């Protein structure tokens, strides 16, 4: 059982572990410029932005993939040396519990603004689809809850028909192509696809995790 003294010392132990992991990684990156870091694309996803931040600081090379399952496969096959995965990703346990992977480091960083977007062309006031019937909304599973959190009165209570998206940028792309009436996306998605905000909220500070292959683990066959 932990004593009060143990509990008081714990934050210091955690800080030491955090620092040690980053010191080891930074040393590896300095010794091997161009280390490959895989994460979720396309460009403009929150994962891409976090990866670009690390790349600029440490001389990394970023590879973007369509899904985190792809990222996992490419890490195991040796195509990339590290994977950047947000704690908000629903399948993160697949990385934590894989016998051939190890958590190398972690850090907090805020995402861009998120919210509900609509096409920017002529339409209903504030971009809310007219009527009281179901609304088709493109979103990746992990951010669907944002919809109910920020939905304005014109949307509150209306049935939602979800259109599955692989990323925030994919959701924006689906909306821009006419595959949905609204999308849950981020600020880069709104800008890249010429959308407009219906409602939005500040980004969230989340934990980003970095995984690498375990020592001695052989790359998996393609």
């Amino acid at each position: 059982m932990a004593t009060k003294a143990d509990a008081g010392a714990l934050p210091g132990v955690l800080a030491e572990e955090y620092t040690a992991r980053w010191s080891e990684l930074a040393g590896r990156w300095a010794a091997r410029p161009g280390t490959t870091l895989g994460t979720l694309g396309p460009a403009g996803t929150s994962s891409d932005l976090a990866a670009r931040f690390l790349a600029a600081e440490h001389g990394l090379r970023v590879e973007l993939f369509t899904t985190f399952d792809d990222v996992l496969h490419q890490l195991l096959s040796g195509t990339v040396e590290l994977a950047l995965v947000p704690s908000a990703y629903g399948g993160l346990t697949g990385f934590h519990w894989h016998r051939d992977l190890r958590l190398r480091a972690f850090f907090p960083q805020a995402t861009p603004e998120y919210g509900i977007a609509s096409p920017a062309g002529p339409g209903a006031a504030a971009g809310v689809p007219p009527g009281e019937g179901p609304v088709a909304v493109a979103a990746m599973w992990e951010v669907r809850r944002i919809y109910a959190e920020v939905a304005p009165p014109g949307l509150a209570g209306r049935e939602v028909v979800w259109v599955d998206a692989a990323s925030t940028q994919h959701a924006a792309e689906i909306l821009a192509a006419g595959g949905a009436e609204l999308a849950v996306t981020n600020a880069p998605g709104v800008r890249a696809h010429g959308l407009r905000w219906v409602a939005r909220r500040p980004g969230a500070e989340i934990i980003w995790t970095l995984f690498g292959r375990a020592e001695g683990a052989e790359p998996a066959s393609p």
Side-chain angles (χ1 to χ4, degrees):
M1 180 181 295
T3 65
K4 288 185 178 180
D6 292 331
L10 187 58
V13 172
L14 291 177
E16 290 174 5
E17 176 69 13
Y18 176 89
T19 301
R21 288 177 183 240
W22 273 107
S23 295
E24 180 183 2
L25 263 186
R28 289 188 182 188
W29 291 341
R32 297 181 60 190
T35 295
T36 52
L37 176 62
T39 195
L40 183 68
T45 62
S46 297
S47 297
D48 170 54
L49 298 179
R52 300 293 174 188
F53 168 78
L54 286 182
E57 292 289 317
H58 298 283
L60 310 180
R61 184 166 61 85
V62 176
E63 295 282 347
L64 300 177
F65 300 96
T66 304
T67 68
F68 278 117
D69 284 341
D70 293 335
V71 175
L72 176 62
H73 175 74
Q74 297 300 332
L75 178 60
L76 291 172
S77 68
T79 303
V80 298
E81 296 163 85
L82 291 167
L84 177 68
V85 189
S87 59
Y89 169 53
L92 182 58
T93 53
F95 287 81
H96 278 298
W97 288 102
H98 198 289
R99 65 182 182 181
D100 291 332
L101 300 182
R102 296 292 182 271
L103 177 66
R104 296 301 184 200
F106 50 92
F107 62 97
Q109 183 165 307
T111 69
E113 284 184 307
Y114 271 74
I116 303 170
S118 70
V128 175
E132 300 179 354
V135 181
V137 182
M140 60 188 302
W141 181 86
E142 287 81 0
V143 299
R144 286 183 181 182
R145 64 177 301 159
I146 293 174
Y147 181 87
E149 177 188 330
V150 303
L155 292 173
R158 292 177 64 174
E159 179 185 352
V160 175
V161 178
W162 294 108
V163 179
D164 291 333
S167 67
T168 51
Q169 303 310 296
H170 186 213
E173 180 182 349
I174 291 171
L175 176 60
E181 297 171 275
L182 299 170
V184 179
T185 188
N186 64 9
V190 169
R191 291 194 296 269
H193 293 277
L195 309 177
R196 62 173 172 174
W197 289 118
V198 172
R200 53 184 162 171
R201 55 149 291 167
E205 187 173 47
I206 62 176
I207 299 297
W208 297 88
T209 60
L210 284 161
F211 286 88
R213 291 191 304 281
E215 298 298 331
E218 294 294 328
S221 300

